[in-house]
Every structure is written in structure tokens, then in C-alpha cells.
Amino acid sequence: YDFYKGEILLIDKPYTWSSFQAVNKLKYAIKHHPSFIVDGQKINAKIGHAGTLDPLATGLLIVCTGKKTKTINDLMGLEKEYTGTFLIGATTPCYDLEKPVDHTYPTEHITEDKIRQAAESFIGVQQQIPPLFSAVMVNGKRAYELAREGVEMELKSREIEIKEFEITKIDFPKIDFRIVCTKGTYIR
């Protein structure tokens, strides 16, 4: 590898790590690689990531080094694919597992047909307000950091597009899914 000239690394970001933590661990390891040592001196080279995953999300984190950091914006603009499991009949204040369930609801009226119809209704261009517990930057900090501190904020909606929304398994109350979408889409 020549990390100084530039590499694109595909990392499986661990659960509970922020993208920043994952990149920092890589920075340490990469900066001790021989391609960062010229004539016995450590040289400084860029390292960055294309997109941010929330701490409770696992999956692909693209890290670029050296001259490949110039491709980050192009990589961030590519379509994204998410898989996961929804739990119906319960909510949390942050829309994911970072906080405990705060409300439960009856689910007897929910059928497989209604689930598939609901998934179909999300396909297309729409406005989405990111959740407060998200990686969106607000005044130089991640929204999830401010939300954990109890700071009240209002996030602005943004245009996103859901290109595919497939229900892959229904095992009440769990529903497995696959979504293909544009950058900036939050799946909770």
C-alpha cells in the first residue's frame, strides 16, 4: 500500500464507534506505515472519510488517504444501500436503540399488505428532517452530541430520494428491509 500517494480503504465501522473514532484509529496505524516515512522522517498526509455513520450504525465507512482524499466528494454523492430491522409497536425518543422504549402501541391491525404498501409510499423524492440523534453538524458539533446534552434544536428538512424499499422478511414484530437512497437520507 502507498497511503501517502493515496488509497481508498473500506472499513466495517464497529457498533458504538463514531466515524471520527474509527478514522482516528486508522490514522494512528497508517501514519506508522513505511509509506509515511521518508528519509527517516515521518511525513504528514491527509486522511479523511466519505460520509458519517451514527455511532449505533455499523457498516461501510470509506476512508481515503493522500491524494485519494480529493475523491471524497465524488464518493459521498453515490447512492447508499441500507439493511436493517424495524421493530413495530414501540418507539424511542431518538428513533433508534440509543434510548429505551418510551411508548408501545397495539399492532394487531397491521398486516403484511399494509407493511408493503407503507414501504412503497416512501419511494421517490421527498423532504426529510434528520433526527435530533443524528450526525448532522449544528454549530460545529454533531446533533447527537447536543441532543445527549439536552440542547433543544430544530433541524432543517432536506431533499432525499428513496429509490428502492424492499421488505425482505416479516416476522412480527420484526420487519427486515433493504433501502437504496441518496446521500443524506436517515434510516431509523
Side-chain angles (χ1 to χ4, degrees), residues 64-185:
C64 299
T65 71
K67 293 179 182 175
K68 293 287 185 176
T69 57
K70 292 180 181 179
T71 67
I72 286 176
N73 283 338
D74 294 335
L75 294 169
M76 285 178 35
L78 297 173
E79 287 183 351
K80 315 293 187 240
E81 181 173 321
Y82 296 92
T83 60
T85 302
F86 293 120
L87 177 64
I88 60 170
T91 61
T92 67
C94 57
Y95 309 118
D96 66 16
L97 298 177
E98 186 165 332
K99 298 276 185 186
V101 169
D102 61 350
H103 293 97
T104 58
Y105 302 92
T107 59
E108 298 78 27
H109 64 287
I110 299 175
T111 65
E112 287 192 21
D113 282 343
K114 286 183 179 180
I115 291 167
R116 293 185 194 288
Q117 287 171 6
E120 249 182 69
S121 75
F122 281 98
I123 295 174
V125 176
Q126 57 200 281
Q127 292 292 311
Q128 183 186 53
I129 298 172
L132 296 180
F133 284 81
S134 68
V136 170
M137 294 297 285
V138 178
N139 299 326
K141 287 184 99 173
R142 298 284 177 198
Y144 63 77
E145 293 171 338
L146 296 170
R148 287 184 192 132
E149 294 169 7
V151 174
E152 290 191 29
M153 65 192 124
E154 192 172 315
L155 301 178
K156 294 181 176 145
S157 69
R158 49 173 76 174
E159 186 176 278
I160 57 110
E161 182 179 1
I162 305 290
K163 297 185 176 196
E164 296 178 42
F165 192 156
E166 177 186 3
I167 301 300
T168 57
K169 181 178 176 185
I170 297 175
D171 186 18
F172 287 107
K174 295 179 181 178
I175 301 167
D176 294 348
F177 66 90
R178 183 185 72 86
I179 292 176
V180 176
C181 56
T182 55
K183 100 177 201 183
T185 304

Side-chain angles (χ1 to χ4, degrees), residues 11-63:
I11 307 302
D12 185 4
K13 187 193 80 62
Y15 183 71
T16 72
W17 287 22
S18 69
S19 296
F20 183 76
Q21 288 171 310
V23 169
N24 270 347
K25 290 189 185 287
L26 278 171
K27 276 182 185 181
Y28 179 83
I30 289 170
K31 289 206 177 200
H32 290 84
H33 188 272
S35 69
F36 276 92
I37 301 171
V38 175
D39 297 328
Q41 298 287 330
K42 285 185 185 177
I43 56 175
N44 206 5
K46 294 181 181 181
I47 300 173
H49 62 288
T52 300
L53 293 172
D54 291 341
L56 294 188
T58 60
L60 179 63
L61 181 66
I62 302 172
V63 178

